[in-house]
Amino acid sequence: MAFIDYYKILGLEKKASAEDIKKAYRKLARKHHPDLNPNDKDAHLKFQQINEANEVLSDPEKRKKYDEYGENWKQADQFEQARQQGSRTGPRSSYSTGQDDEDYSDFFESLFGSRFGGERNAGGRGGQPPKFRGSDYTTTLEKTLRQAYSTHQETLQIHGKNVRITVPAGIYDGQVIKLAGYGAPGANGGPNGDLYITFKIMEDPVFKRLENDLYTSTEIDLYTAVLGGEILVSTLEGKVKMKVVAGTQNGTKLRLKGKGFPVYKQAGQFGDLIVTLIVKIPTNLDEKQMDLFRQLSSLQPKN
């Protein structure tokens, strides 16, 4: 995987606070969301990078490793272990402040290998063959909006075995989940790589999702728009009643609190459902009905 500067992706300094990261993520995710850029591949890629950056920098433990090891943060634990072993066996002064960057990079690569291939763990001393970490795997998993609405089980076949994973409610398009140890097998006793699953949420014919809010439209007849009343509105959990006030205009937007999409990994929290009302003009009126409209029209004040 190519190195991504997560701070640069979010437009932040390394000293940014957790609140700075949260605000930057929300602003950029809204700007580059696939729903707002349906045919923009660059925006889709940017959205994935923004999510990846937020996933790391919003987690204090991951951020600490990233700040110290940069692109190699995923191997931080292995590196620390190797460094501790090295201090006990007396390796060359690879960590001294006087060492040049090239020597440090060479030593780091001797432990973990190139960033583009399988990574090597400490080994090879005392006649023992070096251990190599397996490469990472990547895959894409498609979900409907309705599937992403609920927490559910998914069975994947990895290395010829069925592996059951839990997909949390509220997962979003472009989100990446890591399954540690489900990548390519390591060599000479080295650890397996990881599996990165990118979720693709397909468009829904009824609802449009923007972050945790859902958008839909529904028709109302002219009489309900003029006189007011109640209508039934579809949600992802079934139909609910919505009140329409007298004199409602075509294109009016109404908000149903808590009837949107579940917030990822925040149980009991939901976005809102925004409903656009489309006033349906009656057609095929008979002469009596037309006459009534003429009478109404004659009663309108003249300018």
Side-chain angles (χ1 to χ4, degrees):
M1 288 184 162
F3 174 60
I4 300 175
D5 186 333
Y6 294 146
Y7 288 103
K8 184 176 180 180
I9 286 294
L10 295 181
L12 297 170
E13 298 289 336
K14 195 172 181 179
K15 61 183 179 180
S17 67
E19 186 63 24
D20 292 334
I21 293 169
K22 185 177 181 180
K23 288 180 179 179
Y25 167 70
R26 287 182 173 178
K27 179 180 178 180
L28 292 172
R30 187 180 297 111
K31 177 181 178 182
H32 297 283
H33 197 284
D35 287 347
L36 298 181
N37 304 274
N39 300 313
D40 190 338
K41 293 183 178 179
D42 290 338
H44 287 207
L45 176 60
K46 184 74 172 178
F47 184 71
Q48 292 181 11
Q49 293 175 339
I50 291 166
N51 284 325
E52 182 180 334
N54 179 65
E55 183 180 353
V56 174
L57 298 185
S58 63
D59 185 311
E61 184 176 345
K62 291 180 180 178
R63 183 181 181 183
K64 181 180 179 182
K65 292 178 181 179
Y66 179 79
D67 287 345
E68 186 169 357
Y69 297 104
E71 62 184 298
N72 299 288
W73 71 272
K74 293 175 184 176
Q75 288 78 43
D77 293 339
Q78 299 171 18
F79 184 49
E80 283 297 326
Q81 183 180 4
R83 181 162 61 181
Q84 291 170 8
Q85 291 175 348
S87 66
R88 291 195 297 267
T89 56
R92 59 177 178 163
S93 56
S94 301
Y95 302 98
S96 66
T97 55
Q99 162 200 326
D100 61 42
D101 292 340
E102 185 176 356
D103 287 342
Y104 182 85
S105 176
D106 288 345
F107 179 68
F108 196 104
E109 186 164 328
S110 74
L111 290 174
F112 297 104
S114 168
R115 74 183 73 159
F116 299 107
E119 297 164 1
R120 184 169 64 186
N121 294 331
R125 292 178 182 154
Q128 296 297 320
K131 297 178 180 180
F132 290 87
R133 178 184 181 276
S135 298
D136 293 334
Y137 286 160
T138 60
T139 189
T140 300
L141 195 59
E142 288 191 346
K143 289 289 173 183
T144 66
L145 187 69
R146 295 167 193 269
Q147 288 174 326
Y149 181 79
S150 302
T151 298
H152 62 281
Q153 300 289 319
E154 183 79 22
T155 300
L156 306 176
Q157 191 171 71
I158 305 173
H159 303 316
K161 297 180 180 180
N162 289 331
V163 177
R164 178 172 291 184
I165 65 171
T166 298
V167 180
I171 199 161
Y172 46 83
D173 187 56
Q175 186 167 355
V176 179
I177 289 180
K178 181 181 79 171
L179 294 185
Y182 283 97
N188 300 327
N192 291 354
D194 300 327
L195 171 63
Y196 290 85
I197 303 174
T198 300
F199 285 84
K200 178 176 177 57
I201 310 302
M202 295 178 283
E203 293 186 4
D204 187 86
V206 177
F207 300 98
K208 187 180 184 66
R209 179 185 179 188
L210 183 57
E211 295 187 349
N212 297 313
D213 291 334
L214 291 176
Y215 292 78
T216 189
S217 61
T218 189
E219 290 185 343
I220 63 171
D221 59 55
L222 177 63
Y223 313 106
T224 302
V226 173
L227 302 174
E230 284 188 340
I231 60 173
L232 288 176
V233 176
S234 295
T235 74
L236 284 175
E237 291 187 332
K239 292 185 179 294
V240 298
K241 289 183 179 180
M242 173 182 278
K243 185 177 180 180
V244 177
V245 300
T248 292
Q249 301 297 306
N250 182 55
T252 296
K253 289 180 172 57
L254 301 180
R255 182 181 294 268
L256 286 175
K257 285 284 188 181
K259 294 299 182 181
F261 220 69
V263 180
Y264 182 70
K265 287 191 174 181
Q266 295 187 34
Q269 296 191 35
F270 292 80
D272 300 332
L273 174 63
I274 292 86
V275 182
T276 300
L277 300 181
I278 308 299
V279 178
K280 187 177 180 181
I281 304 300
T283 58
N284 301 321
L285 299 177
D286 59 28
E287 188 57 33
K288 183 178 180 180
Q289 291 171 319
M290 290 293 291
D291 188 55
L292 289 173
F293 274 101
R294 292 188 190 99
Q295 292 180 46
L296 287 173
S297 177
S298 68
L299 296 175
Q300 293 295 312
K302 296 181 179 179
N303 295 330

